[in-house]
Amino acid sequence: MGPSAWRRRAAVIVASLPLLSGALARAGELAAAYLPYGSVADNPGPVAAPHQGGLFRVSHGGRVAYLFGTVHVGTRGFYPLPPEVERALGGANRIVVELDTRANGDYLRALSLHGRYAPGDDIRKHLPAATVQALTEVLHAQGISMASMAGYKPWLVANLLLSMELERKGYRRSEGVEQALLAQARRHRLKVAQLESAEYQLALYDSMGEAEAARYLQEVLDGLGDGRALRTAQAIIAAWSSDDARALDVVLQESTAGPGVVAEFTRRVLLGRRNPDMANQIARLMREDSVTFVGVGLLHLLGANGLPQLLAQRGYLVERVY
């Protein structure tokens, strides 16, 4: 696969990075501080239909937003979405996703700025010899030359490899929940907004120092080698599919616990830095429409720093639909 093919591939899968960055570190004990669905419950009656992802109703000043936890890759078996989600979508004035992946040009520009080295530079100059050897072996096993990846930064290579592993197991970016939401917006001619930009997302990853990025890649290579990386990603998907509160709590712990670079980056940056910014954006968007539907990665809804908790702390009424 040549450099241009990698650029096209990266442009359409980078939005899945928060999911694929689930920690490879061993989970600690469940912490009482983590409240998977905190805030006010509206005591819905039991339903026979399966639930996915968690759904919240947020209200303030006569405006309503629905928060739905998503995963960024999927299968046809994920659909149709639960009836509560379909009803919320049917009444929405606008659909909001983390990133509108239809804006391919924005991603390519951000990728060139943050995901690639300057011409003439090479990833092998920025990695320990052992990591270069491990990466070369993984790439060659998949029929990919090291030269075709040389211009990309370690964190991007790591996440591309994780995405490829999920694809081999049958999960597709084209079947991710965000794609279904964007399709719904097209069918019903709804407005679409995004919580973040490609520039913002990739700049977060590019904020890693050289040593940190090298360790990030090495951790992912280790996780691919012993199967932990795939098990972590599949655990997130399974928790999303089951809406099991304990499973969701375990997923949050496994994604953020431990001293590893991946866990620390997930805890400090992918969730700790992004969640307050997302809450600000949701509050702003709620002022513009009477009913807003927000699809956001599952991990952003969990824990004491999750979006439901942050919005409840700001005085919004937050009710768990399921």
Side-chain angles (χ1 to χ4, degrees), residues 48 57 81 90 110 112 136 161 224 240-241 250 266 321:
R57 185 180 187 275
L81 293 170
S112 294
T136 302
L161 291 172
L224 289 170
W240 177 85
S241 299
V250 170
T266 302
V321 178

Side-chain angles (χ1 to χ4, degrees), residues 33-282:
Y34 284 124
L35 307 174
Y37 285 115
S39 194
V40 182
D42 63 355
N43 299 314
V47 295
H51 284 154
Q52 299 163 318
L55 180 67
F56 298 85
R57 185 180 187 275
V58 181
S59 56
H60 187 270
R63 309 282 177 141
V64 172
Y66 289 93
L67 304 184
F68 177 51
T70 69
V71 286
H72 306 300
V73 295
T75 70
R76 292 182 180 178
F78 285 7
Y79 307 102
L81 293 170
E84 297 91 340
V85 174
E86 295 290 353
R87 284 195 294 271
L89 282 167
N93 304 117
R94 183 193 328 226
I95 290 178
V96 181
V97 291
E98 288 181 37
L99 191 79
D100 187 348
T101 54
R102 298 171 301 177
N104 204 36
D106 291 344
Y107 245 123
L108 288 173
R109 285 188 288 274
L111 189 66
S112 294
L113 180 63
H114 293 293
R116 293 176 59 85
Y117 289 113
D121 205 349
D122 190 311
I123 190 174
R124 288 166 286 196
K125 300 177 182 178
H126 303 272
L127 298 175
T131 303
V132 171
Q133 179 63 31
L135 176 59
T136 302
E137 291 175 0
V138 168
L139 292 173
H140 286 182
Q142 299 179 36
I144 302 169
S145 71
M146 185 68 187
S148 70
M149 303 296 289
Y152 294 94
K153 294 185 178 180
W155 57 264
L156 181 58
V157 174
N159 287 308
L160 286 168
L161 291 172
L162 282 166
S163 176
M164 292 169 62
E165 184 69 15
L166 281 172
E167 285 189 0
R168 279 194 293 274
K169 296 300 180 181
Y171 298 103
R172 299 285 182 263
R173 181 77 180 86
S174 60
E175 299 289 348
V177 178
E178 284 81 2
Q179 300 306 311
L181 296 180
L182 291 172
Q184 181 97 347
R186 285 192 298 272
R187 282 194 299 272
H188 298 285
R189 298 183 179 179
L190 296 175
K191 294 179 290 185
V192 174
Q194 58 184 22
L195 293 176
E196 299 174 330
S197 66
E199 161 67 21
Y200 175 86
Q201 285 193 354
L202 296 191
L204 291 177
Y205 279 92
D206 201 23
S207 68
M208 290 187 203
E210 184 168 301
E212 183 183 12
R215 291 197 301 273
Y216 184 99
L217 174 57
Q218 184 62 61
E219 283 186 21
V220 170
L221 290 170
D222 291 343
L224 289 170
D226 63 17
R228 284 177 297 158
L230 181 61
R231 288 196 297 273
T232 298
Q234 288 180 317
I236 294 174
I237 294 170
W240 177 85
S241 299
S242 67
D243 187 39
D244 181 309
R246 180 172 176 81
L248 292 167
D249 199 12
V250 170
V251 160
L252 180 64
Q253 287 288 321
E254 290 182 343
S255 298
T256 57
V261 172
V262 177
E264 169 63 19
F265 188 75
T266 302
R267 178 173 63 248
R268 176 176 53 84
V269 178
L270 295 183
L271 300 179
R273 188 182 304 178
R274 293 171 73 206
N275 283 1
D277 289 343
M278 285 183 173
N280 290 336
Q281 281 288 86
I282 291 168

